[in-house]
């Protein structure tokens, strides 16, 4: 299966089989398709709009990854009393919001 690796700053990091890898892949493929069409427009000297569609597709993929991370890794960490994971989640959210 596909693996999504989320680095938490620790040497081990979390590796989990992403439950929604197909959904993430589809959203990223959509973003790549949008970027390709923008690139062709630039090469042809046409107005290259469409960046909001790319950003939306990438953000949606990120949202699915974050949701999966929260459901699996954060729940385990809280059960085990590993509060540092919450700091890492905040960093991950900030990274997606930039």
């Amino acid at each position: 299966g596909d693996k999504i690796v989320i680095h938490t700053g620790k040497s081990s990091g979390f590796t989990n089989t992403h439950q929604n890898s197909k959904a993430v892949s589809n959203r990223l493929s959509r973003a790549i398709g949008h970027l390709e069409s923008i690139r062709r427009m630039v090469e042809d000297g046409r107005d290259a709009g469409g960046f909001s569609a790319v950003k939306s597709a990438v953000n949606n993929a990120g949202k699915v990854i974050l949701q999966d991370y929260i459901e699996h890794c954060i729940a385990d960490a809280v059960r085990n009393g590993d509060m540092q994971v919450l700091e890492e989640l905040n960093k991950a959210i900030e990274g997606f919001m930039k």
Side-chain angles (χ1 to χ4, degrees):
D2 295 334
K3 294 276 187 194
I4 301 287
V5 179
I6 298 179
H7 296 287
T8 63
K10 297 178 189 170
S11 56
S12 63
F14 280 108
T15 306
N16 63 318
T17 302
H18 191 22
Q19 302 296 93
N20 301 300
S21 58
K22 188 75 179 153
V24 171
S25 179
N26 288 342
R27 285 172 169 85
L28 292 176
S29 292
R30 202 169 303 143
I32 291 166
H34 291 315
L35 280 172
E36 278 295 325
S37 64
I38 291 169
R39 185 176 61 82
R40 282 193 298 275
M41 287 179 193
V42 170
E43 286 174 353
D44 296 344
R46 291 181 285 149
D47 180 39
F51 285 104
S52 64
V54 174
K55 187 176 179 186
S56 175
V58 171
N59 283 345
N60 285 334
K63 202 184 317 180
V64 173
I65 292 170
L66 266 180
Q67 286 168 343
D68 188 67
Y69 180 54
I70 290 165
E71 285 173 25
H72 296 89
C73 302
I74 299 296
D76 286 346
V78 170
R79 271 195 297 275
N80 297 325
D82 181 3
M83 299 317 267
Q84 184 185 345
V85 168
L86 296 178
E87 285 177 40
E88 298 298 334
L89 174 63
N90 284 329
K91 287 180 195 168
I93 291 170
E94 280 181 31
F96 278 115
M97 296 300 171
K98 286 183 180 169

